[in-house]
C-alpha cells in the first residue's frame, strides 16, 4: 500500500509541475467558474459527511478538522 | 427536535431582505442517518456574509439528536436512548490584496473556531489558514494549522455511578482530555479551460484519551475496558481532477485519498462523481465511493487475555478492524426559478440527497438523506 501511495504522490507532483507552464487567461475561465468546477458541496453537506466518516471509519484524521465530539470515538 | 427544526425555518424566512450593499446566503439543512443500532437527526443552519469589500464571514449552528442502542454510545442491555449534541462555529477570511507583487496576485488569510458540547464530550477547535494565488491565478496554494482540545467522560453510562476512565496507563479519573494538532496544505492548478487538478496533504498528532469510555474488549479470560494508545500520528494525501464537457454540460470528478497512521491503519478511498447540469435551473449528481482499510496493529476480534503485560492495548472498535464500504449517492439541486419564484427566491436553491452505504462490518448498512434550502440575500 505504501508503494502505491508513493507512486500516486509522485504522479501528482510530476503532473502539477508539467502543467505549471499552462496559463489560462481570466476571460477563458467561464467553465472553470461553474459550481461543478469549484465546489459542488455545500458546507453543511461536507461537514456532516466528515463527521459521519469520523464516527465510522478509522481514517478520519486527514481533513484538518479534528475534534467535534459525538462520543463515538 | 420539532422546535429546533421550526426555529431554523423561521430564521430562514425572516431573512428575506431588501436592498443594501452586501451579499450573503442563509442555508437550512436537515439530515437523517439510519443504521442497524443508531439513528441520527441533524438540523443545521449555515450563514455566509460579505464583510466590507474584502471580507467573508461564516457561521453555523447544529443539533445532533442521536438515538442509539449501541454499547459504544453508553446504552446498557441494548436499551436505546437519545442524546443531543450542540455545535456552533464561525470563521472569517480576509483578502489582503488582489495584486501583491508581479508573481503573487492574491493573498487571503482566515481563521475559524467551533465548539461542540454533549453530555460526555466537549470539544473546542481553532484554526488559521492562508492562501496565495500565483501564475495569473492559475495556481492556488494554501497552508493551515488547527488545534483542538476535547474533554471526555462516561457521563452517559446508564449505571448507578459514573465510571472512571484510564486517561493514561495507571491513572484513572472521571474525565480525560485529548489534544489534536494539525497541519494541512493544499494546491490547485488549472490544467486547461475545462480541467482543474487539486492536491491536499494533512498531518495531525493526537495526544490523550482515545478509547471509547463505554466499550469493553472481549478476551478468553474476561472483559476489560478498552485500552487504546494515547498518541496517534495520522497523515493523508489526496488528489482530485475535475473535467468539464461543454457540449453536454457534464462535469466528471475523480478523486483518490491515501491515509496512514502509526497504529498501522492504511486506507484507500477512490471516488467518482458525475455532475449533470439540467437546463439553467437544475443539476443532478451521482456518486460512488469505495473505502478500504487495514486493521490496527493491536486490534483483535477476541484477545487471549486482558493481562496488561501480554496485551498492553485492547480494543473493541469496529473501525480499527479491516473492512470496506461502498457508498452510492444521488443528489438533485433545483433553483427557485424553476417553481416560478420571483425576487431573491428565484435564486434560492433546494437540494435533496439520498445515500446508501454498504458497510462490511458490524455497523451494518446505512441510509443517509439530506434536505436543504439555501437563500441568497442583500443587506
Amino acid at each position: 500500500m505504501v508503494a502505491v501511495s508513493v507512486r500516486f504522490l509522485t504522479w501528482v507532483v510530476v503532473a502539477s509541475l508539467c502543467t505549471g507552464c499552462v496559463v489560462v487567461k481570466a476571460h477563458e475561465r467561464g467553465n472553470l467558474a461553474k459550481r461543478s468546477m469549484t465546489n459542488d458541496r455545500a458546507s453543511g453537506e461536507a461537514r456532516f459527511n466528515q463527521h459521519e466518516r469520523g464516527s465510522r471509519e478509522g481514517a478520519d484524521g486527514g481533513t484538518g478538522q479534528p475534534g467535534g465530539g459525538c462520543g463515538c470515538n | 427536535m420539532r422546535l429546533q427544526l421550526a426555529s431554523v425555518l423561521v430564521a430562514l424566512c425572516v431573512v428575506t431582505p431588501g436592498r443594501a450593499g452586501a451579499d450573503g446566503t442563509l442555508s437550512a439543512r436537515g439530515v437523517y442517518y439510519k443504521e442497524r443500532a443508531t439513528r441520527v437527526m441533524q438540523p443545521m443552519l449555515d450563514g455566509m456574509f460579505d464583510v466590507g469589500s474584502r471580507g467573508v464571514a461564516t457561521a453555523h449552528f447544529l443539533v445532533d439528536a442521536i438515538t442509539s442502542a449501541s454499547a459504544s454510545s453508553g446504552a446498557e442491555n441494548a436499551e436505546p436512548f437519545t442524546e443531543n449534541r450542540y455545535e456552533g462555529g464561525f470563521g472569517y477570511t480576509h483578502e489582503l490584496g488582489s495584486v501583491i507583487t508581479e508573481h503573487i496576485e492574491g493573498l487571503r488569510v482566515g481563521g475559524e473556531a467551533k465548539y461542540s458540547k454533549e453530555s460526555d464530550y466537549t470539544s473546542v477547535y481553532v484554526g488559521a489558514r492562508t492562501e496565495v494565488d500565483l501564475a495569473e491565478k492559475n495556481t492556488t496554494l494554501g497552508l493551515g494549522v488547527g488545534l483542538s482540545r476535547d474533554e471526555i467522560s462516561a457521563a452517559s453510562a446508564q449505571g448507578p455511578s459514573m465510571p472512571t476512565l484510564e486517561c493514561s496507563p495507571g491513572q484513572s479519573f472521571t474525565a480525560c482530555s485529548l489534544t489534536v494538532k494539525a497541519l494541512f496544505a493544499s494546491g490547485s492548478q488549472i490544467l486547461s479551460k475545462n480541467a482543474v487538478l487539486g492536491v491536499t496533504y494533512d498531518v495531525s498528532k493526537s495526544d490523550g484519551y482515545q478509547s471509547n469510555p463505554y466499550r469493553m474488549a472481549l478476551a478468553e479470560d474476561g472483559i476489560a475496558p478498552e485500552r487504546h494508545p494515547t498518541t496517534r500520528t495520522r497523515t493523508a494525501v489526496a488528489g482530485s481532477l475535475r473535467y468539464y464537457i461543454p457540449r453536454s454540460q457534464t462535469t466528471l470528478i475523480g478523486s483518490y485519498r491515501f491515509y496512514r497512521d502509526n497504529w498501522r491503519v492504511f486506507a484507500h478511498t477512490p471516488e467518482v462523481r458525475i455532475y449533470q447540469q439540467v437546463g439553467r435551473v437544475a443539476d443532478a449528481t451521482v456518486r460512488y465511493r469505495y473505502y478500504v482499510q487495514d486493521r490496527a496493529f493491536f486490534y483483535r476480534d477476541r484477545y487471549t487475555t486482558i493481562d496488561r503485560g501480554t496485551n498492553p492495548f485492547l480494543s473493541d472498535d469496529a473501525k480499527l478492524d479491516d473492512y470496506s464500504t461502498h457508498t452510492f449517492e444521488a443528489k438533485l439541486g433545483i433553483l427557485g426559478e424553476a417553481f416560478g419564484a420571483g425576487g431573491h427566491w428565484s435564486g434560492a436553491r433546494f437540494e435533496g440527497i439520498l445515500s446508501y452505504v454498504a458497510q462490511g462490518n458490524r455497523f451494518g448498512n446505512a441510509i443517509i438523506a439530506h434536505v436543504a434550502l439555501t437563500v441568497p440575500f442583500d443587506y
Side-chain angles (χ1 to χ4, degrees), chain B residues 28-44:
Chain B
R29 178 176 297 266
V31 186
Y32 178 77
Y33 178 96
K34 174 82 171 69
E35 65 178 25
R36 186 178 296 154
T38 301
R39 189 175 69 235
V40 177
M41 290 179 66
Q42 187 181 108
M44 64 182 92

Side-chain angles (χ1 to χ4, degrees), chain B residues 28-112:
Chain B
R29 178 176 297 266
V31 186
Y32 178 77
Y33 178 96
K34 174 82 171 69
E35 65 178 25
R36 186 178 296 154
T38 301
R39 189 175 69 235
V40 177
M41 290 179 66
Q42 187 181 108
M44 64 182 92
L45 195 60
D46 276 85
M48 186 177 72
F49 318 90
D50 285 346
V51 179
S53 59
R54 295 188 169 202
V56 175
T58 59
H60 77 271
F61 175 76
L62 64 84
V63 181
D64 240 346
I66 305 163
T67 301
S68 181
S70 166
S72 61
S73 300
E76 197 170 31
N77 300 323
E79 284 293 321
F81 76 103
T82 298
E83 148 171 79
N84 289 344
R85 180 178 73 89
Y86 300 91
E87 179 185 312
F90 62 91
Y92 178 74
T93 302
H94 194 83
E95 177 89 42
L96 287 178
S98 56
V99 178
I100 310 293
T101 68
E102 182 185 350
H103 301 291
I104 300 177
E105 286 124 18
L107 181 62
R108 292 172 293 282
V109 295
E112 63 178 321

